[in-house]
């Protein structure tokens, strides 16, 4: 009888230990807090306020009119310290310019900085983090480090689209076609429009597929922004405006395009979108021309995105 009791006790202990181990293994990784601190005129937020170590966290920024994103720095902990750097240090670049590198979840000390890639994303470490976002006056002379477009040799400091390119690049909506070229006069394709609208909506993972536009295409179709056809075709101005109008919710409008010399050339399916875009100040070439069938350039897209931010 005693032997049976010890045997039963042994089974009980094994069962308890096994249940404890199973329960511990089933427990999720702990959450860590994400705090956002903004300095300057603008707003910023993350897609989550808490995350597990190893999760990808996205940062969305919106600069006020007349301001631009100057820097994003992510540090472990919640200590309130002033973000600064030595502008004479040749190695420094704002943290938002780091490309994807090691996306593991590091154990960080209080003096470390977490790398943010060019799409304003970072990997959550085994710490709470503070996201420091700084905006500054957009009086940009095209020089490093205060100009988001400083690396693009084809974006002149006095170009009419320079400020808009700064905005689109700093927000992660557009990037250069290479490390040193933005290609402001290059044509925008329908697929690129879908991808950019996805980024504006906070979706930063729409190009990690094959072909590269497949996820953006599916996203845009699901949101009734496009029919998804002709992804590699250049997008016309009226096509761009129509997709923006649908993305914005297709608000009711009334008005006429009769005051424009080429108003009659606007397709029937694009009329309401064009009236809306004119009302909101998104488009217009001079005071009487719309050029609805003209191909949209990358510089024009950047300008429209900046104006859209001010709606």
């Amino acid at each position: 009888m005693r032997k049976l009791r010890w045997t039963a006790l042994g089974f009980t202990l094994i069962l308890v230990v096994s249940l404890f181990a199973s329960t511990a293994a089933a427990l999720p990784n702990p959450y860590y807090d994400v705090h956002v601190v903004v300095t300057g005129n603008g707003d910023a937020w993350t897609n989550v306020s808490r995350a597990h170590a190893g999760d990808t966290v996205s940062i969305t920024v919106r600069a006020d009119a007349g301001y631009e994103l100057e820097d994003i720095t992510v540090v472990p902990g919640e200590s309130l310290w002033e973000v600064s750097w030595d502008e004479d240090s040749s190695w420094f670049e704002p943290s938002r310019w780091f490309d994807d590198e090691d996306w593991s979840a590091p154990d960080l000390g209080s003096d470390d900085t977490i790398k943010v890639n060019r799409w304003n994303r970072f990997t959550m470490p085994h710490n709470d983090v503070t996201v420091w976002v700084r905006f500054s006056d957009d009086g940009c002379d095209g020089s490093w480090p205060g100009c988001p477009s400083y690396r693009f040799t084809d974006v002149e400091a006095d170009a009419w689209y320079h400020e808009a390119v700064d905005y689109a690049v700093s927000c992660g909506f557009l990037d250069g076609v290479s490390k040193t070229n933005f290609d402001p006069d290059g044509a925008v394709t329908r697929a690129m429009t879908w991808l950019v609208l996805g980024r504006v909506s906070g979706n930063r993972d729409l190009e990690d597929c094959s072909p590269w536009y497949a996820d953006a295409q599916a996203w845009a179709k699901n949101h009734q922004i496009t029919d998804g056809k002709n992804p590699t075709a250049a997008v016309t101005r009226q096509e761009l405006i129509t997709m923006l109008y649908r993305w914005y919710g297709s608000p009711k409008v009334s008005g006429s395009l009769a005051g424009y010399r080429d108003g009659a050339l606007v397709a029937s399916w694009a009329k309401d979108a064009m009236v809306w875009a004119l009302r909101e100040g998104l488009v217009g070439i001079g005071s009487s021309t719309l050029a609805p069938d003209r191909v949209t350039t990358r510089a024009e897209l950047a300008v429209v995105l900046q104006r859209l931010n001010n709606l």
Side-chain angles (χ1 to χ4, degrees), residues 250-271:
S250 301
K252 292 184 178 180
V253 295
S254 61
S256 171
L257 302 175
Y260 293 86
R261 290 181 297 182
D262 54 359
L265 299 179
V266 177
S268 58
W269 47 264
K271 180 182 175 182

Side-chain angles (χ1 to χ4, degrees), residues 85-99:
W85 58 81
D86 181 3
E87 295 185 4
D88 295 327
S89 297
S90 60
W91 56 267
F92 175 80
E93 286 188 279
S95 58
R96 64 176 179 275
W97 291 119
F98 282 107
D99 293 330

Side-chain angles (χ1 to χ4, degrees), residues 97-260:
W97 291 119
F98 282 107
D99 293 330
D100 296 55
E101 292 183 4
D102 181 8
W103 280 86
S104 60
D107 290 302
L108 296 170
S110 60
D111 295 330
D112 291 317
T113 299
I114 301 163
K115 290 183 177 180
V116 179
N117 76 359
R118 68 180 185 275
W119 301 128
N120 295 347
R121 295 182 298 185
F122 66 92
T123 299
M124 193 70 181
H126 297 277
N127 296 87
D128 294 341
V129 301
T130 299
V131 179
W132 291 87
V133 180
R134 177 158 54 184
F135 299 96
S136 63
D137 187 284
D138 64 5
C140 179
D141 62 1
S143 62
W144 176 89
C147 175
S149 301
Y150 77 91
R151 63 175 63 209
F152 301 130
T153 59
D154 55 357
V155 178
E156 298 294 335
D158 58 353
W160 60 271
Y161 50 78
H162 185 123
E163 179 185 329
V165 172
D166 282 349
Y167 166 78
V169 169
S170 64
C171 291
F173 301 153
L174 288 172
D175 198 8
V177 297
S178 70
K179 288 288 187 180
T180 57
N181 287 280
F182 182 78
D183 192 20
D185 296 323
V188 176
T189 65
R190 289 168 56 82
M192 179 55 70
T193 304
W194 307 333
L195 181 62
V196 168
L197 287 179
R199 290 171 179 168
V200 173
S201 301
N203 297 282
R204 305 286 181 163
D205 299 304
L206 293 178
E207 57 183 319
D208 299 328
C209 54
S210 180
W212 64 267
Y213 55 78
D215 285 350
Q217 183 182 45
W219 173 84
K221 288 178 66 176
N222 290 338
H223 287 79
Q224 300 182 328
I225 294 170
T226 180
D227 59 10
K229 297 178 180 178
N230 305 319
T232 60
V235 66
T236 65
R237 288 164 57 83
Q238 65 180 350
E239 287 174 333
L240 172 67
I241 291 304
T242 300
M243 284 190 271
L244 287 172
Y245 177 65
R246 292 170 181 169
W247 172 82
Y248 202 74
S250 301
K252 292 184 178 180
V253 295
S254 61
S256 171
L257 302 175
Y260 293 86

